[in-house]
Amino acid sequence: MSRGRLLVYLLRRDLRVSDNPVLHHLVTTSDHGFTHLLPVYVFPANQVEVSGFLKDGEQSPYPPARSQVGKFWRCGPHRAKFTAETVWDMKKNLEDLGSGLLIRIGTAKDVVNHLVQEMKETVTSVGGVWMTEEPSWEEAQEQESISLLCSEKEIEFKLWKDEKYFIDDRDNGLESPEGLPDVFTTYRKSQEPLREKPRKVLSKPGESSLPAMPQNGFIPAQAHPFVSPSSLEDLQKRLAKPLQNMMCNPPHRPENATDGHPFSGGETSAWERLRHSAKSGALTSYKETRNGLVGTDYSTKLSGYLALGCLTARQIHEELLKLEDGTDEQYKDAVGYGEGENDGTKGIRFELLWRDYMRLCTAKFGRKLFRLSGFRQQDGSYNKKWKTATEKIADPEQDPPPSQISKILERFQNGTTGMGLVDASQRELYHTGYTSNRARQNVASFLSKHLQIDWRYGAEWYEMMLTDYDVSSNWANWQYVAGVGNDPRGDARTFNPIKQAFDYDIEGTFVRMWMAELQGLDKLENVFQVCTTEAAELESCGLSENIMVTDPVKKIEFYVDRKPRATRRVYNKRRGHPRGGRWLGNSKNQYHSGSGMSSEAAANESTSTLGVDAETRDRDRKAREAQQFHDTTWRGNYTGGLPMNMHVHGGRGWQGGDQSRGRGNVGHFSGSWRPHGQRGGFRGRYPFIPQMPYAQFPGGAQ
């Protein structure tokens, strides 16, 4: 019998059969030189905890898959489930084409080495290994290790350019990632008009068009000491097994809380979601709804699918074209059908370009993606002192000490800081694996700017908890909001979470839904910062002894009628701020610890988090008739949308305001506006403040 030549196709974040450059090449090229194809997906032991796949009584040869700074699991239960569904859907889709998928546990290098060794004497020995390129540091290291292994074994190795992005790398005009502008708007302008940029989608392989799978008898079993999953249910169970008890005091899920991301993983579900968004009008209305906090259709919720490569950005673009041009009858009843590009579809393209930009930043800056000082800080010149819970690296004069920061981080994670929007988002994230882009920006700003805690704790927490985690979008956006990334304004841009709650949770629906204990409060200012509630109401709602009231992690004063709202406890104030401003807050303008000591305690769909540029944000603000009150003692305090002057100063002179440029991990957020008059549940008179021009600055991720 003549020997065949087997191609191992290592899948990672290209889990789709449509618009897949590797599969398309194998189908359309007759001289690729392989008689058999073995698609393989490896659950990587350095990024996913794999001890649930161990045989009884065995120990893992790999260290626990925990993060560097916070020591969190690197993949939490929500993403583990979503990934399992995605992998199993890919397996089914390949089987429908007459192929299949081998699921393995370990590292890609160990799995390939085992296949090569075990199959070298069979009729289908391994003759080549192909995989698509990923720019992030760990994936690049993995690519290099496979390349070296193949070289040692004298096996062909090929690294394919992945084509899941909006604008192909061959078309963006960059000779190398080093030529990428450090400001998104500059890059965006170089790529416009965006509607004309993406390449055509590659066709899906036909049934039996791929090289044959090796017979089961020639495929070696999973290497010791692990076992292979026998079903989707078994796969999910084994992935979830080590992830029990992630928190000491997890938040309770309210009975009326709804899941904003109830979607299954996989290419099949991705197409269902995309077509639903087009038919329902969600793509057309995207601009008006993207800042939402509650529901499933305020944003596209495609970020998780984009992150795993179940769907490509140019596939989304192609469906937008069908809707805009009126060329697909399945969308004939949708709003905007045949009416050309509109604000909603244009906004989605901006967001897809932002994902491209974040990925290119990863390629440009490499390991700096994970560095405390960020992308743009010069080596040796960065001296900012971030708060940390790690004793051995903390500044000797850190206040509060690491032990208190550890307690603050626990409260940040379980949603008991006393800041309503932040806490509601953290509880939603814990229970569903998802939270809106608007919420993500506020969470990131709160941790990094208001509390001045090492932003990497937040980035790692999101890595564990988010279903739609994407390494580039998550880490680059956390850098952006923390002021160490590619935001030209750096530290000068800070979100005021109370004002943001008034802007985007107009009736308090989101915060009340996830913070059941606050549902009895009448006034929105109390819902958004419970420590401002009068003693009698706290008593009637059973909140008098709640830690969010007795010991809020951070107190932020905000102004109504140009006077600060009274709080239950007197604030200590002092003057002499080094930047000419004034301090508002408790002693040292820091936050409180449980012991009474002064202490300090941020991705898709995008979705992705998709992002938006300066012009888009400005149009949004003008549409809302934003009003700004200018005070030269404060730096860039934007109050767009609410005729309320709110200034919040932290220990470094940061102040509140709607400086919403930071981009979240995914991106479609939505919301509704009532720019004039009182908000629902709000008590008090709004003063008249004359409208003044505001400086242009880019907006947040969509």
Side-chain angles (χ1 to χ4, degrees):
M1 179 183 295
S2 61
R3 295 191 56 157
R5 192 162 182 261
L6 174 67
L7 171 65
V8 172
Y9 172 24
L10 280 175
L11 292 111
R12 295 186 295 179
R13 299 185 186 124
D14 46 352
L15 294 169
R16 63 189 182 278
V17 295
S18 300
D19 201 19
N20 184 309
V22 173
L23 299 182
H24 184 263
H25 178 80
L26 291 172
V27 169
T28 59
T29 305
S30 59
D31 59 352
H32 50 67
F34 297 99
T35 60
H36 293 79
L37 170 67
L38 181 60
V40 180
Y41 181 85
V42 180
F43 280 92
N46 63 323
Q47 297 179 351
V48 178
E49 179 53 35
V50 297
S51 56
F53 295 89
L54 287 168
K55 297 175 182 177
D56 292 342
E58 297 291 341
Q59 291 187 339
S60 177
Y62 307 109
R66 291 193 179 273
S67 63
Q68 291 290 314
V69 178
K71 309 305 178 186
F72 310 129
W73 291 119
R74 295 195 59 192
C75 179
H78 301 294
R79 182 155 56 93
K81 178 178 180 293
F82 192 82
T83 303
E85 293 166 343
T86 298
V87 171
W88 212 262
D89 184 68
M90 183 66 176
K91 180 175 181 292
K92 179 182 181 300
N93 290 342
L94 284 168
E95 289 172 347
D96 289 344
L97 297 178
S99 186
L101 179 65
L102 191 66
I103 300 173
R104 288 292 180 259
I105 312 301
T107 67
K109 179 181 178 181
D110 289 347
V111 169
V112 170
N113 187 52
H114 182 251
L115 289 172
V116 171
Q117 291 296 113
E118 295 297 318
M119 300 185 74
K120 63 182 179 181
E121 301 300 331
T122 68
V123 296
T124 52
S125 60
V126 177
V129 178
W130 291 358
M131 60 198 305
T132 54
E133 183 181 24
E134 291 288 344
S136 45
W137 185 79
E138 284 181 319
E139 286 68 25
Q141 293 296 107
E142 184 177 66
Q143 291 157 190
E144 181 64 21
S145 70
I146 299 297
S147 176
L148 291 174
L149 175 64
C150 289
S151 179
E152 292 172 5
K153 303 293 184 180
E154 297 183 343
I155 293 172
E156 175 188 330
F157 174 76
K158 184 170 183 178
L159 194 62
W160 287 76
K161 284 288 184 183
D162 197 359
E163 300 186 23
K164 62 174 171 278
Y165 307 105
F166 185 62
I167 298 178
D168 193 282
D169 287 349
R170 295 163 289 188
D171 303 327
N172 60 21
L174 299 176
E175 294 185 2
S176 69
E178 286 67 32
L180 180 74
D182 286 343
V183 177
F184 171 68
T185 301
T186 304
Y187 177 68
R188 175 189 58 76
K189 289 179 178 180
S190 73
Q191 303 302 310
E192 291 179 330
L194 300 183
R195 196 173 188 266
E196 312 302 324
K197 282 296 244 186
R199 292 195 174 196
K200 298 294 184 181
V201 169
L202 301 175
S203 60
K204 177 182 176 180
E207 186 176 348
S208 302
S209 61
L210 293 168
M213 279 275 288
Q215 296 181 13
N216 286 334
F218 296 116
I219 300 176
Q222 166 70 51
H224 183 81
F226 300 105
V227 298
S228 297
S230 58
S231 65
L232 173 58
E233 293 71 22
D234 183 50
L235 175 58
Q236 292 174 329
K237 180 180 178 181
R238 292 181 180 277
L239 287 170
K241 184 179 178 180
L243 306 179
Q244 308 300 319
N245 304 317
M246 292 187 302
M247 296 175 62
C248 295
N249 300 295
H252 170 73
R253 177 166 185 157
E255 294 182 0
N256 66 335
T258 59
D259 192 339
H261 193 281
F263 313 111
S264 299
E267 182 178 14
T268 303
S269 295
W271 276 101
E272 291 174 356
R273 178 61 189 171
L274 176 56
R275 288 169 177 146
H276 164 80
S277 297
K279 293 176 182 178
S280 67
L283 301 183
T284 300
S285 64
Y286 170 75
K287 180 182 177 181
E288 288 73 39
T289 64
R290 60 183 178 157
N291 281 306
L293 299 170
V294 179
T296 58
D297 287 343
Y298 62 82
S299 64
T300 69
K301 306 289 171 63
L302 295 173
S303 54
Y305 302 117
L306 287 166
L308 291 176
C310 308
L311 199 65
T312 67
R314 65 188 184 191
Q315 285 177 317
I316 297 173
H317 168 74
E318 185 172 272
E319 296 307 299
L320 293 178
L321 290 178
K322 292 176 183 178
L323 176 65
E324 295 165 340
D325 296 342
T327 58
D328 193 329
E329 283 292 304
Q330 67 175 321
Y331 302 141
K332 61 183 176 59
D333 295 327
V335 177
Y337 183 74
E339 298 176 3
E341 186 177 43
N342 54 65
D343 288 342
T345 56
K346 184 176 182 179
I348 292 171
R349 291 189 175 97
F350 282 157
E351 302 302 338
L352 293 172
L353 186 69
W354 176 258
R355 286 185 67 91
D356 280 11
Y357 183 70
M358 291 290 93
R359 191 258 312 181
L360 291 169
C361 283
T362 297
K364 177 178 180 177
F365 295 109
R367 295 192 73 179
K368 290 181 180 180
L369 184 68
F370 313 104
R371 192 174 66 175
L372 179 61
S373 56
F375 285 156
R376 302 176 63 192
Q377 308 298 330
Q378 296 297 319
D379 293 335
S381 65
Y382 187 73
N383 58 7
K384 180 174 180 177
K385 303 298 183 182
W386 293 88
K387 314 292 184 183
T388 178
T390 305
E391 189 79 39
K392 63 182 179 181
I393 65 172
D395 186 277
E397 299 180 358
Q398 177 179 301
D399 183 19
S403 60
Q404 282 302 123
I405 293 296
S406 180
K407 294 177 182 178
I408 291 168
L409 284 169
E410 182 178 346
R411 292 181 59 184
F412 169 77
Q413 292 155 15
N414 65 26
T416 57
T417 68
M419 201 59 56
L421 180 59
V422 172
D423 292 340
S425 173
Q426 291 290 74
R427 296 187 189 191
E428 179 189 34
L429 177 63
Y430 177 82
H431 287 293
T432 72
Y434 186 82
T435 193
S436 71
N437 180 69
R438 175 58 52 183
R440 296 181 200 199
Q441 295 178 66
N442 278 274
V443 169
S445 180
F446 184 70
L447 182 72
S448 63
K449 295 289 183 64
H450 290 283
L451 305 189
Q452 302 175 42
I453 291 178
D454 185 340
W455 59 270
R456 296 174 299 174
Y457 284 106
E460 290 181 351
W461 181 252
Y462 270 19
E463 177 179 9
M464 177 173 72
M465 297 306 304
L466 282 170
T467 295
D468 63 5
Y469 170 77
D470 173 87
V471 59
S472 297
S473 295
N474 184 66
W475 285 85
N477 281 309
W478 269 92
Q479 281 201 18
Y480 192 103
V481 179
V484 298
N486 51 9
D487 180 1
R489 298 191 59 197
D491 281 348
R493 196 184 311 281
T494 302
F495 287 84
N496 182 327
I498 302 174
K499 179 191 178 299
Q500 289 272 303
F502 273 109
D503 284 352
Y504 298 105
D505 194 17
I506 296 175
E507 305 295 336
T509 303
F510 174 68
V511 175
R512 287 188 173 111
M513 181 172 71
W514 286 103
M515 307 284 291
E517 61 268 48
L518 306 184
Q519 291 178 3
L521 298 178
D522 180 47
K523 298 179 181 179
L524 283 186
E525 56 261 47
N526 302 152
V527 173
F528 298 151
Q529 188 171 213
V530 65
C531 68
T532 64
T533 310
E534 299 295 336
E537 187 171 6
L538 289 171
E539 183 69 27
S540 67
C541 293
L543 292 171
S544 296
E545 302 302 319
N546 190 290
I547 193 172
M548 296 185 293
V549 174
T550 62
D551 192 24
V553 165
K554 177 77 175 181
K555 297 176 182 178
I556 297 178
E557 287 197 4
F558 63 101
Y559 288 74
V560 178
D561 293 340
R562 299 192 186 184
K563 296 178 181 179
R565 293 292 300 176
T567 59
R568 290 185 66 249
R569 293 192 268 179
V570 177
Y571 284 69
N572 295 318
K573 300 181 181 179
R574 72 175 184 177
R575 298 190 180 275
H577 191 282
R579 294 181 181 174
R582 54 179 177 171
W583 293 46
L584 298 176
N586 56 7
S587 178
K588 297 186 179 181
N589 196 40
Q590 297 173 348
Y591 12 100
H592 248 50
S593 65
S595 64
M597 299 169 59
S598 64
S599 59
E600 297 198 40
N604 255 122
E605 109 296 43
S606 326
T607 50
S608 90
T609 77
L610 309 170
V612 74
D613 68 347
E615 289 80 359
T616 301
R617 174 61 60 190
D618 290 335
R619 284 197 298 270
D620 290 350
R621 292 186 178 283
K622 291 175 181 178
R624 299 192 298 258
E625 300 181 5
Q627 295 190 7
Q628 176 190 4
F629 176 77
H630 181 70
D631 185 336
T632 57
T633 63
W634 282 277
R635 177 177 59 181
N637 191 335
Y638 296 96
T639 61
L642 274 177
M644 240 176 13
N645 182 23
M646 297 188 289
H647 304 292
V648 182
H649 285 262
R652 291 180 56 83
W654 290 314
Q655 49 278 343
D658 193 13
Q659 305 171 0
S660 30
R661 171 66 169 97
R663 302 182 189 272
N665 188 43
V666 48
H668 307 357
F669 46 76
S670 50
S672 54
W673 278 86
R674 289 169 52 188
H676 301 291
Q678 298 182 3
R679 303 280 188 191
F682 190 85
R683 302 294 183 267
R685 180 175 59 84
Y686 284 30
F688 170 76
I689 300 174
Q691 184 173 353
M692 301 179 67
Y694 54 87
Q696 290 191 355
F697 59 93
Q702 308 308 311

